[in-house]
Amino acid sequence: MNYRHAYHAGNFADCMKHALLVSLLSSFLRKPSPFVVLDTHAGVGRYDLEGTEAEKTQEWRSGIGLLEQEGPESPLAPWLDLVKKAGLPHRYPGSPMLASFMLRPQDQLICCEKHPEDKRVLYGLFTRTPNVFVHERDGYEALRALLPPKDAKRGLVLIDPPFEQTDEFKRLVEAVQTIRTRFPTGVIAIWYPIKHRTPVRTFLTALQDAGVRDMLTAELLMAPPTDPDRLNGSGLLVIKPPFGFAAQAEAQLARLKTVLGAHDYSVTQISPE
């Protein structure tokens, strides 16, 4: 399967993932020391909500399309301000563009995209942004090649795979072990789909068995996770979550549940530090 995120940009899963991502990155801004963001599956960086792909599925209308009128008091406001900066209602930013908006001169964003056409689009987006670097390479392979960062001791590794492969969860467990070995001080964030509970439960158990601690999951369910043939929700696993992130995630997911009409949400500490 040749996954193209343009069909799904701005849907409920994007809204959840990106609101939480902005909260994670905000935590790095509390200190002046530099940080690095490694985005292993970057995509094209920004998506046209009036393009053929987005118009075909209309998924954004039940996601970001319902959130445009949120006010400055909303827990989603810091993320939505960046979405509007990217060109909403016509365009929707992916994780690379959101992260780039939050960089200071001393910080860096490293993007990996293995599809040549998507990499060219992504590269063009950042030609005038000196602290953003775009690589045409497999995101999992990049973990060994690009970690630890050369110029920072702090950072976030974002892994947002398309789940094209049946062994994606297994590859994620191996990726976490690699990151912990090469960049033990880094925060790890992994997006995952929720169709039914068994694959996610097996994934989290495998991480615990591997000795991974200090894990938190934030999940938004649009329907009960009982149908393995449909996307019922999505989650973000955060390893070494920053102080205060759990409370921020709770407030953001509660608001998303209300506005998007979701079935349920949860923020769960999986394994204590």
Side-chain angles (χ1 to χ4, degrees), residues 145-162:
L146 302 177
L147 295 178
K150 294 181 180 179
D151 301 315
K153 296 181 179 180
R154 302 189 302 144
L156 171 71
V157 180
L158 173 64
I159 309 179
D160 178 21

Side-chain angles (χ1 to χ4, degrees), residues 8 10-18 191 220 231 233-234 260:
H8 314 290
N11 69 0
F12 80 90
D14 261 4
C15 293
M16 182 216 74
K17 173 179 62 184
H18 291 144
W191 179 88
L220 183 68
L231 182 65
S234 68
L260 303 186

Side-chain angles (χ1 to χ4, degrees), residues 58-267:
Q58 300 282 306
E59 288 186 19
W60 67 271
R61 294 187 181 277
S62 57
I64 191 61
L66 298 176
L67 293 162
E68 293 182 50
Q69 303 306 316
E70 287 289 281
E73 74 288 346
S74 171
L76 303 172
W79 158 63
L80 287 169
D81 287 345
L82 299 181
V83 174
K84 293 172 184 177
K85 181 178 179 179
L88 192 73
H90 308 293
R91 295 178 177 179
Y92 182 83
S95 53
M97 176 164 274
L98 289 171
S100 74
F101 287 154
M102 302 184 73
L103 297 179
R104 303 163 301 183
Q106 66 268 38
D107 307 320
Q108 293 184 4
L109 168 63
I110 304 171
C111 303
C112 297
E113 176 52 54
K114 71 176 183 178
H115 295 289
E117 181 180 343
D118 289 354
K119 181 262 179 182
R120 284 193 293 271
V121 175
L122 185 65
Y123 182 82
L125 197 62
F126 294 121
T127 51
R128 298 185 179 181
T129 311
N131 52 347
V132 177
F133 305 90
V134 178
H135 296 258
E136 184 181 322
R137 68 193 317 164
D138 177 79
Y140 290 116
E141 182 275 332
L143 297 176
R144 295 187 180 277
L146 302 177
L147 295 178
K150 294 181 180 179
D151 301 315
K153 296 181 179 180
R154 302 189 302 144
L156 171 71
V157 180
L158 173 64
I159 309 179
D160 178 21
F163 282 83
E164 295 174 324
Q165 308 297 325
T166 57
D167 66 343
E168 201 78 69
F169 278 120
K170 180 176 181 293
R171 299 182 75 191
L172 286 169
V173 173
E174 295 170 351
V176 168
Q177 293 172 312
T178 298
I179 297 167
R180 292 175 71 226
T181 298
R182 301 187 66 84
F183 189 29
T185 60
V187 177
I188 306 170
I190 299 174
W191 179 88
Y192 57 89
I194 303 173
K195 295 183 177 181
H196 62 108
R197 279 291 173 198
T198 300
V200 176
R201 189 180 299 117
T202 301
F203 169 52
L204 297 174
T205 299
L207 289 172
Q208 289 179 296
D209 291 345
V212 182
R213 297 293 180 265
D214 197 13
M215 297 189 293
L216 177 147
T217 58
E219 298 183 346
L220 183 68
L221 293 173
M222 303 306 291
T226 56
D227 185 350
D229 295 323
R230 60 171 288 179
L231 182 65
N232 296 303
S234 68
L236 191 74
L237 168 68
V238 182
I239 301 173
K240 297 176 68 70
F243 176 77
F245 173 72
Q248 290 178 314
E250 182 81 26
Q252 290 172 325
L253 293 182
R255 186 58 185 162
L256 286 171
K257 177 181 182 293
T258 298
V259 180
L260 303 186
H263 169 71
D264 200 3
Y265 76 94
S266 65
V267 178

